[in-house]
Amino acid sequence: MNDGLRMVQTRTCGAWVLPGDPTCAGIARRLFRRVASELSLDGETSDDGVTMVSELAANTLHANQRQLLPANSELWLYLRGTGQRTELVCKVFDTLPGWVHGNVPGRTVRRAPADAMSGRGLEVVHELSDGHWGHHLTRSRLSGTGVRGKVVWFALPVPGNVKAGGMPPATAGDAMTELENDLSTRGFGGRLVRADDHAADMAVLSIASGLTVWCRSAAAWLRAPGAPAKHWGYCDLVEVGEQAVQAHETNIAAAGSFQLADASRTGSLTGSAQSRAVSRAVSRATGSRW
Ligand SMILES: Nc1ncnc2c1ncn2[C@@H]1O[C@H](COP(=O)(O)OP(=O)(O)O)[C@@H](O)[C@H]1O
Ligand SMILES: [Mg+2]
């Protein structure tokens, strides 16, 4: 395990392997507490986070033991949002397909019967996070090959004056390079098709399955087929990468196929003036039709 504290700043995501043995929850607690202290979280918020991360880590271990499969668990911590709306996002990744049984993360939870011996961990997460929790499909950050799995996550408010991870990217090209590097570590390396228009300070990245990210004027946009476009500032590039991977894995799962080879390599940007502008820029930059 990487026990050295990797600073969690804007635009970086701390990621650690969690062992598949009874030390799993204790190590997750220790790592969370150290990061919470670095971020100057108040005592109560930090204690709540420690309790929640402990529940999530213990759950991956139990689910793993039930299925007799290695869960390859990882702990991820990163900052989302800016100023007074900054939050610390905590995700526990595992490679177990789906949910074993019981409460599936969501906005509401079913209360465990009063005499139940188990089934309260996610109730606790729901209460302590004030409903800011959930789960989604994704890919490992540490395997280097994009191993598929899911995360269960929660988010906590943090003080607005947290450390910035260096200057924000100066150009769309720089921002896209950060995103491209992030996605490459998650197994998308050979699949990405990128085009830059430096004069227009614009960059477009086609991931797969019609999923496209484009950066322009200090904003990163994610377009997925059949979903409204979403956008973030460059301080949230970790979140953009997270959402792109989630959208990709969800699309693949919905299509009932896990063959990345089946996924389209080109994105289509149609339907809005901005999209057409990007298409034209990409055509200019690549000399081909988008
Ligand atoms: N990471 C996970 N992967 C698969 N199933 C999970 C995971 N976390 C929780 N579950 C399922 O949700 C149920 C409820 O979890 P929880 O509320 O923590 O109660 P308990 O751990 O006491 O069973 C678990 O029993 C398990 O079946
Ligand atoms: Mg539990």
Side-chain angles (χ1 to χ4, degrees), residues 54-56 58-60 62 66 118-122:
S54 190
E55 292 296 336
L56 300 192
N59 277 354
T60 65
H62 292 152
R66 281 191 197 114
S118 64
R120 297 192 198 286
L122 295 177

Side-chain angles (χ1 to χ4, degrees), residues 12 37 41 48 75 94 103 112 118-119 145 155 207 255 259 274-275 281:
T12 61
S37 141
L41 256 60
D48 287 352
L75 171 66
D94 65 50
N103 278 320
S118 64
T145 54
I207 300 169
Q259 294 300 308
Q274 275 172 319
S275 302

Side-chain angles (χ1 to χ4, degrees), residues 61-119:
L61 189 66
H62 292 152
N64 170 25
Q65 285 166 349
R66 281 191 197 114
Q67 303 211 357
L68 301 174
L69 290 169
N72 304 309
S73 304
E74 300 172 12
L75 171 66
W76 305 345
L77 292 167
Y78 68 95
L79 294 169
R80 180 162 68 189
T82 52
Q84 296 307 312
R85 299 177 66 179
T86 309
E87 52 187 9
L88 174 62
V89 182
C90 174
K91 297 187 170 181
V92 175
F93 171 86
D94 65 50
T95 52
L96 303 167
W99 215 245
V100 179
H101 60 73
N103 278 320
V104 176
R107 297 268 157 208
T108 56
V109 291
R110 203 175 56 242
R111 300 253 167 220
D115 58 349
M117 299 293 285
S118 64

